Amino acid sequence: MNDLSSSPKPEGERPARQRKPDWIRVKAPVSKGYHETRKLMRELNLNTVCEEAACPNIGECWTKKHATVMILGDVCTRACAFCNVKTGMPRIVDPMEPENTALAAAKMGLEHIVITSVDRDDLPDGGAGQFVKVIKALRRETPNTTIEILTPDFRGKMRPAVEAICEAGPDVYNHNLETVPRLYPTIRPGARYYASLRLLEEVKRHDPMIFTKSGIMLGLGEQRLEVHQVMDDMRTADIDFMTMGQYLQPTPKHAKVEDFVTPKAFDAFGAIARAKGFLQVASTPLTRSSYHAGDDFAEMRAAREAKLAKQKV
């Protein structure tokens, strides 16, 4: 593990950055597909979590014209220690966002789209209404595109928010637990672990056929048995799909990486998660919530169909 020195830095000197191991390094994006995707997002005034969260997979995904649209602006009302999205007072919600998102999906020919958002604690519904509008616009403009959403926890307004979104009919409902319960006070101070679990339980209660998905980051100081307990908690909540990826420090101001987890360790965690009964598991250093989401959705749907067919025999 590489450590960041806490001693004072000479004026003008930047804080030391942790050196990434070979297995976590990616090439800088330079392809034609990357630039075309970036141009389309700018033309339609759309934000992407790929850019705002400094995702390491942006080059690969945008080359394939896969992008995760981040609705409700680019300013978050929370200040999580791991996240690179700006924090502050957000601007008004863009009324053209739903139509522009659907237009982007149509122009890119997406078979599967992922929609996420910043936290909007300032809005009466937490932003749930904008998710509903985006889902409806996509169903109208690109009816064959499957829709995956990654929502915040809608603190204090969770039940009506979840009910409204489930009524709109997304194919996958994702909400990330992010880390183990012990680390919430420092890593995710504005959220509560069990409230996030209850949100995912509420999705299944409202519509058992919507796939549920959640993920955690490794390398923040969590213990192996704590990760196993999160898996058990997720299965108790009937979550279908679990993702695990390496946490990377966006800037020296964010929580530092306590450990670079090896690919072999990720494989071991993935094997344990599959043994616990998840329909789908993604566990690699570069795994992110929406990385290969379309392929993973197809595999998860096939796994459920096979499971249901087996139960009928």
Side-chain angles (χ1 to χ4, degrees):
M1 183 183 94
N2 295 318
D3 192 20
L4 287 176
S5 173
S6 58
S7 59
K9 304 290 180 186
E11 187 175 350
E13 183 180 335
R14 292 183 178 181
R17 293 297 298 271
Q18 292 162 296
R19 180 177 173 83
K20 299 185 183 77
D22 291 341
W23 65 77
I24 207 76
R25 295 178 194 170
V26 294
K27 294 180 181 179
V30 294
S31 72
K32 179 182 177 183
Y34 167 83
H35 291 292
E36 288 175 348
T37 301
R38 187 175 186 277
K39 183 172 181 284
L40 179 62
M41 294 300 118
R42 296 295 79 77
E43 288 174 351
L44 295 173
N45 196 33
L46 293 174
N47 299 298
T48 70
V49 75
C50 321
E51 296 170 287
E52 302 301 330
C55 179
N57 302 317
I58 189 171
E60 178 185 346
C61 292
W62 281 28
T63 294
K64 297 176 181 177
K65 297 196 174 179
H66 294 171
T68 299
V69 176
M70 188 174 77
I71 64 173
L72 295 166
D74 63 352
V75 179
C76 187
T77 54
R78 306 275 178 96
C80 297
F82 62 87
C83 185
N84 200 43
V85 175
K86 295 190 289 288
T87 300
M89 179 55 68
R91 293 183 289 272
I92 62 171
V93 176
D94 180 1
M96 293 305 297
E97 204 170 50
E99 296 303 326
N100 285 339
T101 300
L103 184 58
K107 286 190 172 185
M108 295 169 74
L110 297 183
E111 294 181 1
H112 187 83
I113 188 170
V114 182
I115 308 297
T116 189
S117 80
V118 291
D119 280 281
R120 290 297 300 261
D121 298 308
D122 59 310
L123 298 176
D125 67 349
Q130 190 77 338
F131 273 99
V132 171
K133 290 175 183 176
V134 170
I135 293 169
K136 289 181 176 179
L138 286 163
R139 294 294 187 216
R140 194 166 55 244
E141 299 297 327
T142 58
N144 295 323
T145 301
T146 49
I147 302 170
E148 178 172 332
I149 59 167
L150 170 56
T151 78
D153 60 8
F154 300 116
R155 184 173 62 197
K157 55 208 75 155
M158 180 267 288
R159 182 161 289 176
V162 168
E163 287 182 356
I165 292 171
C166 287
E167 284 295 324
D171 297 284
V172 183
Y173 196 123
N174 185 2
H175 173 66
N176 286 327
L177 297 181
E178 306 292 9
T179 189
V180 301
R182 176 175 57 85
L183 297 178
Y184 262 56
T186 54
I187 300 301
R188 201 175 175 222
R192 298 295 179 266
Y193 178 81
Y194 290 103
S196 287
L197 276 175
R198 283 197 298 274
L199 181 150
L200 290 157
E201 288 176 328
E202 187 69 18
V203 173
K204 281 295 189 184
R205 186 195 67 79
H206 194 82
D207 187 346
M209 294 309 292
I210 294 177
F211 290 101
T212 50
K213 178 177 176 179
S214 190
I216 60 171
M217 301 170 288
L218 302 184
L220 284 163
E222 69 287 332
Q223 300 298 313
R224 180 174 57 87
L225 292 181
E226 289 180 310
V227 176
H228 294 178
Q229 184 61 57
V230 170
M231 294 177 188
D232 289 336
D233 292 342
M234 285 189 183
R235 289 305 302 131
T236 298
D238 199 22
I239 293 168
D240 298 301
F241 186 174
M242 181 180 189
T243 63
M244 289 172 276
Q246 172 70 51
Y247 166 68
L248 298 176
Q249 185 182 30
T251 75
K253 295 179 180 179
H254 289 81
K256 73 175 184 177
V257 177
E258 296 294 338
D259 184 34
F260 284 107
V261 181
T262 66
K264 185 176 180 180
F266 271 102
D267 288 343
F269 277 127
I272 292 167
R274 290 182 188 93
K276 289 180 181 293
F278 290 96
L279 284 177
Q280 182 78 352
V281 175
S283 179
T284 72
L286 287 174
T287 291
R288 296 296 182 269
S289 292
S290 54
Y291 189 45
H292 296 163
D295 293 338
D296 287 338
F297 171 72
E299 291 180 14
M300 181 168 56
R301 184 164 55 182
R304 180 160 74 182
E305 290 171 354
K307 182 178 179 180
L308 292 173
K310 188 175 181 180
Q311 291 173 351
K312 291 179 181 178
V313 176

